Amino acid sequence: MDAAKLWDVNASHFRADPDLHTVSVEVKLLEGSAAKDISKGPNNVFVFYDTEVLAIVHRAKSRSSGLVQTKVWEWFGRKAEVGGKEREKSAELARRYGTERVRVEQYAEAQELVHVLGGVLITRQVRFLDYFSCFAN
């Protein structure tokens, strides 16, 4: 965890644009060249794991102009093993939506990203099923 960032009183504070209305938020688990949709958990929040590479796609519509804008974040858990296929898949998503991807490391999430996720970001260590899969053989 980057404690200096947490306590930095000079850090900029995110203010949501009141003209923008969220159309959708998609969270996708990137595994190799696949992107699997992740659903919100039981408390209506997303749970990220420190072994994951995720793409977060936020689509918002301007109330004044009616135009839709999209932002793609590429989130890396601190224990994630990132290969070229995951990077290429996130680049493909950004191209599909006509935008650039924003790289985000665990513990250095921007306030804007947390806002888009509903104001709450939960990160956990190792998925339960991943833990027991090592005993399968």
Side-chain angles (χ1 to χ4, degrees):
M1 178 170 15
D2 189 346
K5 284 187 179 183
L6 290 174
W7 295 108
D8 185 2
V9 294
N10 296 319
S12 62
H13 297 284
F14 171 75
R15 292 191 195 343
D17 184 344
D19 186 49
L20 292 179
H21 171 71
T22 294
V23 174
S24 65
V25 176
E26 299 173 50
V27 177
K28 297 176 180 293
L29 174 63
L30 304 180
E31 288 183 312
S33 58
K36 183 175 90 175
D37 288 331
I38 300 294
S39 302
K40 289 184 176 182
N43 294 326
N44 204 30
V45 297
F46 289 105
V47 177
F48 293 4
Y49 291 87
D50 65 358
T51 56
E52 296 177 326
V53 178
L54 302 170
I56 300 97
V57 180
H58 178 239
R59 295 179 51 83
K61 185 175 182 178
S62 169
R63 289 182 173 95
S64 59
S65 70
L67 297 175
V68 175
Q69 64 182 20
T70 305
K71 191 162 192 175
V72 176
W73 284 277
E74 184 180 47
W75 185 86
F76 295 92
R78 65 186 179 96
K79 294 181 181 176
E81 294 181 19
V82 184
K85 290 183 179 182
E86 288 86 2
R87 298 279 305 166
E88 182 53 37
K89 188 64 180 179
S90 70
E92 176 189 319
L93 286 169
R95 280 192 305 273
R96 182 186 313 161
Y97 291 107
T99 188
E100 296 292 319
R101 58 191 169 172
V102 178
R103 183 182 174 97
V104 178
E105 301 280 343
Q106 183 177 357
Y107 302 130
E109 293 86 356
Q111 292 176 5
E112 179 184 6
L113 175 59
V114 175
H115 172 77
V116 162
L117 293 170
V120 177
L121 177 60
I122 297 174
T123 57
R124 294 197 173 153
Q125 296 176 352
V126 186
R127 284 178 160 264
F128 183 73
L129 294 175
D130 291 344
Y131 175 76
F132 285 103
S133 68
C134 68
F135 297 109
N137 294 336

